[in-house]
Amino acid sequence: VAGERQEVQALRLLLERLPQDFVVKETRFFRHIRVPLLILEYHSSFGDAVEVDISVGGQDEKFGVEKGCTDRLIRKVLRQCPRARPLVRIVKQWAKAQGLNKAFEGYLNSLGWTLLCLFFLLQRGEVTTAMLRLEAGDHEGEDSDHRTKEEEQE
């Protein structure tokens, strides 16, 4: 579509080439939306459904934050705080069951619920501010103090 943002064009191209195993649940390509979004659902042969949100871009134009930075930071905290992952999962399942996970209706989105859980754990001292810093080695979601098995044996 003429005049459409590059991010939306990329998502439309993905839609055209989407395997049949995926179902399009929703597209959010409206002009007023800061980050265009494609919401898909995949159904496995076992009947399990996995929902995924897809956005495209390298940097958030409004805030200047590199895309993926938040995801890497959250993965780092989830690895370092053993109680975080189960808490986030149960809260997100509860929010979905209650219909409270739709940001476009004024509720928190999935990321919002995750951050709320991490803030709760931060307040309890289970997540530390040191966990909330990305280091050079964290670019692929690895901890900066990640060591190989050989290094651990020394």
Side-chain angles (χ1 to χ4, degrees), residues 70-85:
T70 304
D71 294 334
R72 288 191 306 274
L73 186 59
I74 289 171
R75 281 194 304 269
K76 177 182 178 183
V77 173
L78 292 177
R79 278 193 316 275
Q80 293 183 357
C81 180
R83 291 176 16 120
R85 187 179 304 268

Side-chain angles (χ1 to χ4, degrees), residues 56-140:
V56 177
Q59 190 169 17
D60 184 305
E61 295 171 10
K62 183 175 181 181
F63 297 106
V65 176
E66 178 186 342
K67 287 229 176 159
C69 179
T70 304
D71 294 334
R72 288 191 306 274
L73 186 59
I74 289 171
R75 281 194 304 269
K76 177 182 178 183
V77 173
L78 292 177
R79 278 193 316 275
Q80 293 183 357
C81 180
R83 291 176 16 120
R85 187 179 304 268
L87 176 65
V88 168
R89 282 185 178 158
I90 194 75
V91 167
K92 287 169 65 172
Q93 286 175 348
W94 170 83
K96 186 174 184 175
Q98 298 299 314
L100 301 174
N101 63 338
K102 299 174 182 163
F104 60 92
E105 291 182 6
Y107 301 107
L108 293 177
N109 62 11
S110 180
L111 174 62
W113 288 109
T114 299
L115 294 175
L116 186 63
C117 290
L118 296 182
F119 179 75
F120 170 77
L121 293 170
L122 181 68
Q123 293 298 303
R124 293 178 50 91
E126 295 182 48
V127 169
T128 66
T129 55
M131 292 179 191
L132 301 174
R133 289 188 199 98
L134 285 178
E135 306 294 334
D138 294 332
H139 287 291
E140 296 302 321

